[in-house]
Amino acid sequence: MRNPIHKRLKRDLWHNKGRYIAIFLITAAMIAIISGFFIIQKSVLHTFDEAMADNRAEDGQLTTAVQLPDEAEKKFADYDLTVARLFYRNWEVDKTMFRIYADRKTINRAGYYEGGAPQRDDEIALERIYAKAHGYAVGDTFRLADKDYRVSGIMALPDYSAILRNRNDALMDTDTFCLALVTQSAFDTLSKGTISYTYAFETDVPRSDKELNEVMDDLRTEFAAFQIPVVDGTVQSANQCMSYVMDDMKGDVPMMVVFFIINILVIAFVYGVISKSMIEDEAPVIGTMLAMGVKRRELIMHYLRLPVAVTLAAGIIGNIPAYTFIKDFYKNLYYSSFSLFPLKTEVDVEAFLMTTVLPLVLIILINLLMLASKLRFTPIRFLRKDLKRHRKRQAHEWKRLSFMRRYRLRVFVANRASYLVMFMGIFLAGMLLIFGTSFKPLMRSYADKVKTNVPYEHQYLLRMPVEAAGGERFTTVSVQKHHALMDADFNLQIFGIEPDSRYYPNYNLKDNEAYVSEGILKKYGLKIGDELTVRDRFKEKNYTYVIRGTNDYLASMGVFVRRERVNEDFGFEKDYFNGYFSDKELTIDENLILTEIDSRHLSELIEQFIDTFGDITPAMIGLSSIVFTVVIYILSKVIIERAAQSIGYLKVFGYRRREIAGIYVRTTTHMICLMLLICVPLWFLSVRPMMEFSVMKLNSYVPIDVPDYLHLLPIPAGLCIYFIVRFFNIRKIYRGDMVEALKDYTG
């Protein structure tokens, strides 16, 4: 037989429809936002893994100074490697770098969104992001090297999921870097641009990164016998053009999980306040039911039903927009940055558990504890509405205060739990607002600092040593250092500099000393005088340097050591170098340049990054506004409804409606203003660590310089929202039925 007390659920839902609708909307919105993220995150990772396997992504690559003769190329097979020629030509026109490949047939095959591979010599396939940014579609004419080509397809390449001109670049270039495929015969007839002889290989037997690097060292020796130097080489995991997307997608997860759980906890406590208010209002009814034999467990289950039902409905409804249009927002966010294969959206069980089951569990557990605590009293105490803990303490007489002020203080004391939850919601909403509005100023400030803090105009990373007049030599090596909090390895760039460097003067480094960029100290919690231990994962060796000083180098996580020491540590010849610092452009064979960095180009890439991810700003502002509105509306409404009987008495005693509103509404107004003021220093203390955590996944250090005025922005925003809610609260007091409020509930 159905428990008769559950017949009251429909009435409770209708009577409190405003608060439940508000909670439903914020819960559904939260679930839609987080579920949409996890759907795309899991789908992208699955699509990426599938594309890497189906399109035969390389296990590594070697680049030689000249083309290998057939006899030398056969050496790959001796080491159980399948090889494919991925030669390309580079040339720059109007600040755009064009990189043209012959169509791939085996390794690193293209995946097509539209059209297909070029079949004729006058056809070309373009990479998707560049084609979209410049308005190219299948059938359009694309002019290249003074010749018109017909666009045969829009594609993505597995070895360029991150659009980096060179794999050591700090940021992707999706606007001024064009990847394209032409037929082999069309490629052979190209005369413009320097050619790069890159050989991609697959390993026929499972090998670790260390083993692959040992094989590549052996191949270098084999090719040296043919008088052909290897100018570059890398394995897949060290190639940021391929591994960047995996690191980025996985790095977003912790922040989103923490953000989601905090929001759900706030919602759970709002439910707790509502349930507590309902129990106090219905205390005589509860006392009667307990006296008639209804068990406390049944009452707890009764009061849990509506929160569980609303949360479950929000989970179901929230997943509808998540799977329809919210996921498209995240898809566009990632697909506008990464050159990924066509997405295959999948239903993810883990995402469902996180966004639908976890909120239910948290809300049930928190409300179980709160309901069990509130329903512990005896039936007689419920009948008397005596639901307070009686402690021996001195009464607050507040004799020197006026009656109205004493009344407001008692309103505050009676509703302190509601105000505490309101404070939590305001603090969270303010953090979201500051985070969303500070993103662009933060990144623009970073771009300006990169330009001003780099002491040279050009930095060249070379595939092999080559003489260039006017440049200062250095040796650079990429190493890793583990970060305990993130449980991840981050790349650090060791620079072996000259003792008399004109770009880093007065360092006077001893044998094992190093200057490090400020970001390393802050990211790893180090200080001057500490030892910095880094690891070469391919050789599986550690290197330790004593930190002598710091600089404000922001282009990478830099460690500056004597060049002689770097060459000795990493097994290079004494006079070896692989880079130049310079204040002017150097004349170097383009085939021998691995990366060229200048502050102007780096700033342009940061601007592209800002434009791509700037879409999160309106989303964060909208979400913070929803949290502000719902928390303030529900809890201020609860405060007024709990005081319905007291308001009725005040009307009987002749108090005017404005005076009554002054007691209850003004108390909340004062508390809102006080909460916002208290939150300001808390925002100053908490927003910076939150933003540092959010950018910690980047292989660089971004100084968190949030403009001070943004920490004050939640004050006018919160007050505007509150005064809108206040208008409806005052109207509720004016329209309140005095007779109904003074009735005693009898069931």
Side-chain angles (χ1 to χ4, degrees):
M1 180 179 175
R2 183 183 177 186
N3 194 325
I5 65 173
H6 296 326
K7 294 182 178 180
R8 306 176 68 251
L9 290 173
K10 289 183 179 179
R11 187 188 68 182
D12 291 341
L13 181 61
W14 177 253
H15 180 70
N16 299 295
K17 56 184 178 295
R19 64 177 67 161
Y20 284 118
I21 289 174
I23 295 178
F24 168 82
L25 291 176
I26 190 173
T27 308
M30 200 66 58
I31 289 173
I33 291 169
I34 303 300
S35 182
F37 166 77
F38 278 107
I39 291 166
I40 292 300
Q41 191 258 350
K42 296 295 183 182
S43 298
V44 165
L45 291 180
H46 180 77
T47 301
F48 181 83
D49 290 337
E50 191 176 78
M52 297 290 275
D54 294 346
N55 293 67
R56 297 179 60 182
E58 67 184 47
D59 292 312
Q61 61 176 247
L62 286 172
T63 301
T64 56
V66 296
Q67 183 174 347
L68 293 173
D70 292 343
E71 186 178 352
E73 191 171 332
K74 291 177 181 178
K75 294 295 182 181
F76 284 99
D78 295 342
Y79 292 90
D80 297 317
L81 300 176
T82 300
V83 68
R85 298 176 181 177
L86 294 187
F87 301 168
Y88 62 84
R89 287 186 179 273
N90 273 345
W91 68 89
E92 189 167 342
V93 180
D94 296 331
K95 297 183 180 180
T96 296
M97 173 69 76
F98 294 92
R99 180 166 297 171
I100 311 302
Y101 287 90
D103 188 27
R104 287 101 173 269
K105 303 295 185 183
T106 55
I107 298 175
N108 291 337
R109 293 197 302 260
Y112 285 88
Y113 281 78
E114 302 174 32
Q119 302 297 324
R120 302 185 310 180
D121 290 351
D122 62 347
E123 290 185 333
I124 191 169
L126 297 178
E127 188 277 322
R128 176 187 58 84
I129 298 180
Y130 181 88
K132 181 179 178 181
H134 294 82
Y136 288 106
V138 173
D140 289 350
T141 299
F142 182 79
R143 188 163 184 80
L144 179 69
D146 301 325
K147 181 180 177 181
D148 289 335
Y149 291 82
R150 176 186 173 274
V151 177
S152 66
I154 306 299
M155 54 80 183
L157 298 172
D159 53 328
Y160 281 98
S161 57
I163 305 298
L164 301 171
R165 292 193 182 193
N166 297 285
R167 67 173 186 276
N168 289 330
D169 286 351
L171 293 171
M172 291 173 282
D173 185 352
T174 57
D175 187 54
T176 60
F177 181 47
C178 175
L179 294 164
L181 302 178
V182 296
T183 62
Q184 183 65 57
S185 57
F187 181 83
D188 293 338
T189 60
L190 287 174
S191 58
K192 284 195 174 183
T194 53
I195 189 168
S196 180
Y197 299 99
T198 299
Y199 294 85
F201 59 81
E202 293 176 314
T203 177
D204 299 333
V205 294
R207 287 188 172 105
S208 65
D209 286 346
K210 181 183 178 183
E211 291 171 331
L212 279 175
N213 273 276
E214 290 172 350
V215 169
M216 288 195 294
D217 287 339
D218 292 339
L219 285 170
R220 286 186 178 94
T221 304
E222 297 271 13
F223 299 154
F226 293 89
Q227 303 299 312
I228 298 176
V230 174
V231 297
D232 188 29
T234 183
V235 297
Q236 183 191 116
S237 61
N239 186 348
Q240 285 216 102
C241 292
M242 305 178 74
S243 62
Y244 194 113
V245 61
M246 295 291 286
D247 297 337
D248 184 80
M249 295 296 292
K250 292 178 180 178
D252 288 333
V253 172
M255 183 178 67
M256 296 296 284
V257 170
V258 171
F259 164 72
F260 182 60
I261 290 176
I262 291 174
N263 276 276
I264 293 300
L265 289 175
V266 171
I267 293 170
F269 280 109
V270 170
Y271 274 125
V273 170
I274 291 174
S275 298
K276 178 183 175 183
S277 174
M278 291 177 65
I279 289 171
E280 291 175 353
D281 288 344
E282 301 174 352
V285 177
I286 295 171
T288 302
M289 288 191 290
L290 289 172
M292 294 174 62
V294 177
K295 297 179 180 179
R296 283 183 173 81
R297 177 178 57 82
E298 294 175 314
L299 288 173
I300 291 174
M301 293 299 105
H302 169 73
Y303 283 105
L304 267 178
R305 281 182 174 245
L306 277 179
V308 169
V310 172
T311 305
L312 184 60
I316 295 171
I317 301 299
N319 275 290
I320 294 174
Y323 277 90
T324 51
F325 64 88
I326 296 293
K327 68 176 179 61
D328 292 334
F329 169 79
Y330 290 106
K331 176 186 174 182
N332 293 335
L333 196 64
Y334 286 109
Y335 271 65
S336 61
S337 299
F338 297 112
S339 183
L340 302 169
F341 280 48
L343 184 68
K344 299 176 182 178
T345 304
E346 299 179 352
V347 177
D348 185 70
V349 175
E350 186 178 341
F352 175 79
L353 293 175
M354 169 64 67
T355 60
T356 306
V357 177
L358 181 62
L360 276 174
V361 172
L362 290 176
I363 284 170
I364 289 172
L365 288 177
I366 291 174
N367 280 273
L368 270 176
L369 294 174
M370 297 183 74
L371 288 170
S373 174
K374 199 63 180 177
L375 291 171
R376 73 189 186 281
F377 299 105
T378 60
I380 190 66
R381 292 186 63 178
F382 275 106
L383 289 168
R384 294 174 176 173
K385 287 194 171 185
D386 181 15
L387 305 182
K388 304 291 183 183
R389 293 183 181 182
H390 297 293
R391 298 177 182 175
K392 292 183 179 180
R393 60 186 179 184
Q394 186 176 0
H396 297 289
E397 296 185 5
W398 299 317
K399 290 182 178 179
R400 296 183 179 180
L401 301 178
S402 66
F403 172 75
M404 297 296 283
R405 290 182 177 177
R406 279 182 284 169
Y407 204 125
R408 292 191 191 106
L409 282 172
R410 295 195 183 278
V411 169
F412 164 72
V413 171
N415 295 282
R416 57 189 179 275
S418 298
Y419 286 124
L420 177 61
V421 177
M422 190 182 294
F423 175 79
M424 293 168 56
I426 288 173
F427 174 71
L428 175 63
M431 285 186 68
L432 295 176
L433 182 60
I434 297 169
F435 186 90
T437 54
S438 62
F439 178 78
K440 283 191 175 182
L442 176 70
M443 295 308 296
R444 289 209 169 91
S445 172
Y446 173 61
D448 292 339
K449 288 180 179 178
V450 167
K451 286 191 292 186
T452 57
N453 293 343
V454 174
Y456 46 80
E457 290 298 322
H458 298 271
Q459 179 195 110
Y460 295 89
L461 302 185
L462 307 175
R463 299 183 188 274
M464 61 183 296
V466 60
E467 292 297 328
E472 179 178 296
R473 297 176 178 181
F474 66 88
T475 300
T476 184
V477 182
S478 181
V479 293
Q480 287 74 40
K481 182 169 178 60
H482 188 74
H483 195 286
L485 178 62
M486 298 295 290
D487 191 25
D489 292 326
F490 290 98
N491 291 332
L492 276 62
Q493 201 74 20
I494 292 182
F495 291 94
I497 61 175
E498 301 286 7
D500 56 349
S501 171
R502 64 179 181 269
Y503 298 103
Y504 299 99
N506 306 320
Y507 277 17
N508 298 321
L509 295 168
K510 295 181 181 178
D511 188 50
N512 69 329
E513 292 180 335
Y515 266 67
V516 302
S517 58
E518 182 184 3
I520 293 178
L521 296 183
K522 294 189 175 181
K523 197 161 192 170
Y524 289 96
L526 299 172
K527 60 183 183 296
I528 296 174
D530 288 349
E531 290 186 341
L532 173 69
T533 299
V534 297
R535 184 171 181 78
D536 184 337
R537 63 178 175 181
F538 301 124
K539 295 181 179 179
E540 297 185 354
K541 291 181 64 177
N542 292 339
Y543 305 93
T544 300
Y545 305 100
V546 177
I547 300 174
R548 180 174 176 179
T550 183
N551 59 34
D552 52 7
Y553 184 79
L554 291 174
S556 68
M557 304 280 280
V559 181
F560 299 83
V561 188
R562 291 174 63 244
R563 183 160 70 93
E564 185 178 339
R565 175 59 186 264
V566 173
N567 290 344
E568 178 184 341
D569 283 349
F570 291 89
F572 303 131
E573 295 181 3
K574 184 177 180 180
D575 294 329
Y576 176 83
F577 67 96
N578 60 356
Y580 281 109
F581 298 127
S582 176
D583 287 330
K584 63 180 182 179
E585 195 169 342
L586 302 180
T587 303
I588 303 175
D589 184 348
E590 192 171 339
N591 281 328
L592 300 180
I593 298 175
L594 177 62
T595 302
E596 179 183 355
I597 299 173
D598 63 75
S599 57
R600 178 195 59 79
H601 182 61
L602 194 57
S603 298
E604 290 175 356
L605 295 182
I606 294 173
E607 287 297 323
Q608 289 183 35
F609 178 82
I610 293 171
D611 292 340
T612 299
F613 289 93
D615 290 341
I616 68 170
T617 298
M620 297 294 280
I621 294 174
L623 185 59
S624 66
S625 300
I626 292 173
V627 175
F628 262 128
T629 304
V630 170
V631 170
I632 292 175
Y633 168 72
I634 291 175
L635 296 177
S636 59
K637 189 171 184 288
V638 166
I639 291 169
I640 291 174
E641 289 178 350
R642 287 182 65 188
Q645 196 172 43
S646 298
I647 291 172
Y649 283 130
L650 289 174
K651 288 182 178 180
V652 169
F653 294 150
Y655 282 87
R656 294 188 298 273
R657 290 179 298 183
R658 290 178 59 86
E659 293 175 315
I660 298 171
I663 293 174
Y664 289 96
V665 177
R666 190 178 298 174
T667 301
T668 300
T669 302
H670 291 165
M671 290 308 304
I672 293 288
C673 294
L674 181 62
M675 290 174 193
L676 288 169
L677 292 175
I678 293 174
C679 281
V680 170
L682 297 180
W683 287 325
F684 270 98
L685 293 174
S686 59
V687 170
R688 181 188 178 94
M690 182 185 75
M691 296 194 73
E692 285 180 341
F693 181 77
S694 68
V695 299
M696 193 170 285
K697 66 177 183 176
L698 299 175
N699 255 312
S700 60
Y701 174 72
V702 179
I704 306 300
D705 297 326
V706 180
D708 289 344
Y709 72 89
L710 290 180
H711 293 89
L712 304 177
L713 185 61
I715 293 179
L719 289 176
C720 286
I721 292 172
Y722 168 67
F723 279 107
I724 294 172
V725 173
R726 184 177 182 270
F727 168 78
F728 292 101
N729 287 337
I730 292 175
R731 192 173 67 168
K732 184 176 181 64
I733 291 175
Y734 286 180
R735 293 183 177 182
D737 191 330
M738 182 177 63
V739 176
E740 289 294 326
L742 294 176
K743 284 184 179 179
D744 288 326
Y745 286 100
T746 57

